[in-house]
Amino acid sequence: MINVIGLGYIGLPTALMFAAHGVEVVGTDYNKTLVDTLNAGKTTFEEDGLDGLFQAAVSKGIRFSHEYQKTDLYIVAVPTPYDKASKKVDAGYVAKAVEKVMEVCPKGATVVVESTVSPGTIDKHVRPVIEAKGFVIGEDIHLAHAPERIIPGNMVYELKHNSRTIGADSREVGEKVKALYGSFCEGEIVVTDIRTAEMTKVVENTFRDINIAFANELAKICRSDNMDVHEIIRIANKHPRVNILSPGPGVGGHCISVDPWFLVGDYPGLANIILAARKINDSMPEFVLERIGCIMKERQITDVGKVGLYGLTYKENVDDMRESPTLQMLDSMDRHLCGGQIKVYDPYVVQDVVPNQYHDLDAFLRDVDMVVLLVGHDEIRENMDRLKGKVVLDTRHICFLEGTYRL
Ligand code: SAJ
């Protein structure tokens, strides 16, 4: 039996995947409401294929509890929030979860940390917790790091097909954990040491952040001289060794906008491109606000209440709003005391989270003259004709109506 600790965006699909492939699983979360929801037969967030996977896991006997279980393998997938001011990761949840595991686990148990952590966290914050309980790592308790790599929106597919990295103190432990993940993972599973696994995960997300920053910087350069950045990227990408990503309103989510800061924080003075990329991506919501201001002036829209922001989530077809560019824009507008009137709509956000939020596309479109497309949900892609007659600022390159404004 394995005990998966933390049933959020990563822990839940991972627990379900193990169970659906015949591993006996108990999923544990300290949030009782979440556990009750799962026990009532409902999933807790929107994700393609998640409901089907849930049914498969339930039929194989997965259980959910808010209590830690006595077993010989634990997977820790709890959040690693970071402090916005210091940019430092808070390993408190991981350390606490491991500490609680130590209270119930038998000698010989293996603890696998899946949560993304800043390189060095396991040495600094996890090993001491285990040792403080009197266990000898490598003898009484085995430790591994298996960072998740799945992309929201395609999690179920990627869980199965992506390659994975397992970091462990010894080859033997690494191979044992690899065999476990091999129960469902069809991608290559590479065994290495813990520090390398920690660093590799952060490097992957940093690579993507830098590449998005390049696209965003190009968008700014092209805007300053009236060139079409999308056409330039489209043509450049025909070169066999060029693959430029898409400019957009900024980088949201809890991963790509966070992980590069770990390297900037730990290696100040060395992580220069990484820092510059972060700053460029962080500047994009403000850049979109400036574009809105210019277009309102050009089209003589004087009332910000006639402007509508389409999309609150950090990217398309997910319900996750963490670090979303739209929320950053609204925050910035509030600070400039002009956020009160602007309208907002997102089909994935059913609860009220910001003022002037709509829950119906028709009503939203009726009340605005200008629409700013911030997220490319399928809903709007399939309803583009409905934007005819509106002033449209498209930050995602998804609207091809005549007269559409771009970043
Ligand atoms: N974005 C752009 N332009 C692009 C691509 C993305 O502006 O060309 C924006 C998105 O709109 C979004 C942000 O970047 O706001 C991040 O989205 P994403 O789809 O690139 O990535 P995430 O954050 O959803 O998931 C990433 C993935 N990492 C990599 O692709 C290297 C995923 O594999 C990781 O598992 C995940 O982070 C994680 O949990 O670390």
Side-chain angles (χ1 to χ4, degrees):
M1 182 180 94
I2 66 170
N3 190 192
V4 177
I5 313 295
L7 298 173
Y9 287 107
I10 300 303
L12 180 63
T14 304
L16 299 177
M17 191 58 98
F18 273 119
H21 287 79
V23 178
E24 192 187 344
V25 180
V26 178
T28 295
D29 201 292
Y30 78 124
N31 180 342
K32 213 171 165 299
T33 319
L34 185 144
V35 171
D36 288 346
T37 307
L38 295 170
N39 277 329
K42 282 185 241 135
T43 50
T44 40
F45 62 95
E46 291 264 342
E47 177 65 34
D48 222 20
L50 191 67
D51 287 342
L53 185 63
F54 183 76
Q55 294 312 331
V58 168
S59 72
K60 291 280 182 79
I62 189 169
R63 288 181 291 130
F64 304 104
S65 165
H66 62 276
E67 270 163 19
Y68 286 60
Q69 308 290 307
K70 187 178 174 88
T71 184
D72 51 12
L73 199 135
Y74 297 84
I75 293 181
V76 176
V78 295
T80 40
Y82 88 119
D83 180 60
K84 278 199 180 139
S86 69
K87 312 288 187 201
K88 291 270 182 206
V89 68
D90 171 4
Y93 287 85
V94 175
K96 189 86 206 149
V98 173
E99 192 182 329
K100 295 196 84 173
V101 166
M102 291 306 111
E103 286 165 13
V104 294
C105 73
K107 273 195 177 176
T110 301
V111 179
V112 182
V113 176
E114 270 223 21
S115 312
T116 301
V117 292
S118 77
T121 295
I122 293 195
D123 280 351
K124 262 185 258 151
H125 300 283
V126 175
R127 289 185 199 276
V129 166
I130 299 173
E131 284 158 356
K133 295 279 177 190
F135 290 116
V136 177
I137 297 169
E139 283 178 27
D140 305 326
I141 296 291
H142 304 292
L143 202 51
H145 180 42
E148 57 82 16
R149 276 176 160 171
I150 51 179
I151 197 149
N154 199 25
M155 284 178 158
V156 176
Y157 176 89
E158 290 207 350
L159 254 178
K160 213 167 170 162
H161 298 278
N162 281 4
S163 145
R164 294 196 76 109
T165 317
I166 310 281
D169 288 340
S170 73
R171 190 85 212 168
E172 199 190 334
V173 173
E175 291 297 331
K176 185 179 129 187
V177 175
K178 174 177 171 173
L180 176 73
Y181 279 92
S183 63
F184 67 79
C185 176
E186 294 173 16
E188 184 189 357
I189 303 178
V190 181
V191 175
T192 183
D193 61 89
I194 288 178
R195 189 66 188 251
T196 304
E198 288 177 321
M199 184 67 177
T200 307
K201 166 65 202 243
V202 171
V203 162
E204 289 161 10
N205 280 352
T206 303
F207 171 87
R208 192 155 170 86
D209 196 45
I210 290 172
N211 282 280
I212 298 169
F214 178 58
N216 283 335
E217 185 157 282
L218 286 181
K220 287 183 167 181
I221 290 172
C222 291
R223 171 58 43 217
S224 77
D225 225 358
N226 209 21
M227 291 179 277
D228 182 345
V229 69
H230 299 288
E231 184 66 352
I232 290 161
I233 291 175
R234 188 180 73 82
I235 298 168
N237 280 351
K238 290 185 188 293
H239 185 289
R241 282 174 297 284
V242 175
N243 184 15
I244 304 170
L245 295 178
S246 308
V251 170
H254 186 62
C255 308
I256 295 192
S257 66
V258 174
D259 298 358
W261 286 118
F262 301 163
L263 298 178
V264 173
D266 287 346
Y267 304 98
L270 290 176
N272 299 317
I273 295 181
I274 301 170
L275 175 60
R278 271 289 70 238
K279 285 186 177 165
I280 291 163
N281 288 337
D282 272 354
S283 74
M284 292 312 286
E286 201 71 43
F287 182 68
V288 178
L289 284 176
E290 281 165 26
R291 280 295 283 148
I292 295 173
C294 286
I295 296 164
M296 284 176 72
K297 212 164 174 188
E298 185 186 321
R299 300 300 290 263
Q300 295 175 350
I301 301 170
T302 47
D303 175 8
V304 79
K306 286 286 165 195
V307 179
L309 307 181
Y310 180 93
L312 261 168
T313 63
Y314 84 95
K315 67 173 187 179
E316 69 282 1
N317 303 328
V318 299
D319 60 6
D320 188 341
M321 286 181 291
R322 289 177 297 174
E323 321 295 329
S324 107
T326 310
L327 290 180
Q328 291 176 48
M329 281 170 58
L330 291 171
D331 185 45
S332 172
M333 290 183 85
D334 279 348
R335 277 186 276 115
H336 294 110
L337 301 174
C338 58
Q341 303 299 313
I342 204 160
K343 312 275 192 295
V344 188
Y345 165 72
D346 190 309
Y348 279 85
V349 182
V350 286
Q351 70 280 32
D352 273 319
V353 289
V354 292
N356 302 311
Q357 187 184 336
Y358 286 68
H359 297 283
D360 174 62
L361 181 61
D362 289 324
F364 172 71
L365 292 179
R366 202 172 45 233
D367 285 1
V368 299
D369 295 337
M370 174 170 172
V371 179
V372 185
L373 297 175
L374 292 162
V375 184
H377 292 310
D378 286 349
E379 183 212 48
I380 196 68
R381 288 175 191 262
E382 288 158 10
N383 282 288
M384 239 11 131
D385 278 358
R386 309 265 297 278
L387 298 182
K388 275 185 185 154
K390 305 280 178 203
V391 175
V392 178
L393 167 59
D394 173 15
T395 69
R396 295 284 185 176
H397 201 225
I398 51 173
C399 178
F400 301 98
L401 295 171
E402 181 101 31
T404 297
Y405 290 89
R406 306 225 176 268
L407 265 187

